[in-house]
Amino acid sequence: MPTISVITCVLPRNSAWLGEAWRSLETQSLPRGWEWEWLVQVDGPEALHWSVPENDPRISVERNDACRGPCVSRNMTLGRARGDILKVLDADDVLTSGQLAREVRVFTEFPDVGWVVSRCLDLLPGGLTVDHPVDLLEGPIPPGAVYDHWSAKLTLPVSPATLAIRRSPALTPVSYTH
């Protein structure tokens, strides 16, 4: 069955928001025949401030022996991912309604698309959320557009915390030439 592997790296001190991230994932609807799995990688040995829902085989939680940082933790999680699509969900973010279905639709309808990004709802203390819109027009992003935007404005036009990418380009080594 086609699967989206949702990857979440969490520092134990920031794990209080995992319940909200979980609820936003649990309420996602997917096209017929698709499923999701949630791979949580705890960055360090401290205890979580969240109880993992019991008896849900879609959830896998593993822990680093020491704090390694979000990039290393996400990469460690890739070894457990079985999905055709890999999706980042930060521990302090929530998915917007229908987000996973939209991403599946794009990947299904446009086989040449390698990755997508979307709006992001960032959770803040006290239950507030901050919307991080995409600062590019909807549709295909021309090669170099993200870099050009960053170079001109020193901000990213998209949130890396919303990345969904096909498994193949995510795991294929890239060679750079100068």
Side-chain angles (χ1 to χ4, degrees), residues 42-105:
V42 181
D43 191 24
E46 299 90 26
L48 287 178
H49 304 287
W50 177 67
S51 296
V52 178
E54 294 183 27
N55 303 320
D56 192 334
R58 300 173 298 176
I59 302 173
S60 168
V61 179
E62 292 199 7
R63 177 180 302 281
N64 299 348
D65 58 349
C67 290
R68 307 265 181 221
C71 294
V72 170
S73 294
R74 284 188 191 109
N75 286 335
M76 291 174 67
T77 307
L78 290 175
R80 300 186 349 243
R82 56 184 179 80
D84 307 290
I85 298 171
L86 308 173
K87 170 72 178 161
V88 175
L89 174 61
D90 280 359
D92 65 344
D93 292 344
V94 293
L95 298 171
T96 57
S97 179
Q99 185 169 339
L100 295 183
R102 286 189 301 275
E103 291 166 351
V104 166
R105 188 186 79 245

Side-chain angles (χ1 to χ4, degrees), residues 113-178:
V113 169
W115 56 273
V116 299
V117 291
S118 59
R119 289 177 51 224
C120 173
L121 294 176
D122 194 13
L123 297 170
L124 300 175
L128 299 173
T129 59
V130 174
D131 184 9
H132 294 279
V134 176
D135 195 15
L136 294 171
L137 296 175
E138 185 174 327
I141 299 172
V146 173
Y147 176 77
D148 291 344
H149 186 285
W150 177 80
S151 295
K153 299 183 180 184
L154 297 179
T155 63
L156 287 172
V158 298
S159 172
T162 67
L163 178 69
I165 187 169
R166 291 183 194 273
R167 181 182 195 81
S168 178
L171 301 179
T172 301
V174 177
S175 297
Y176 294 99
T177 58
H178 299 279

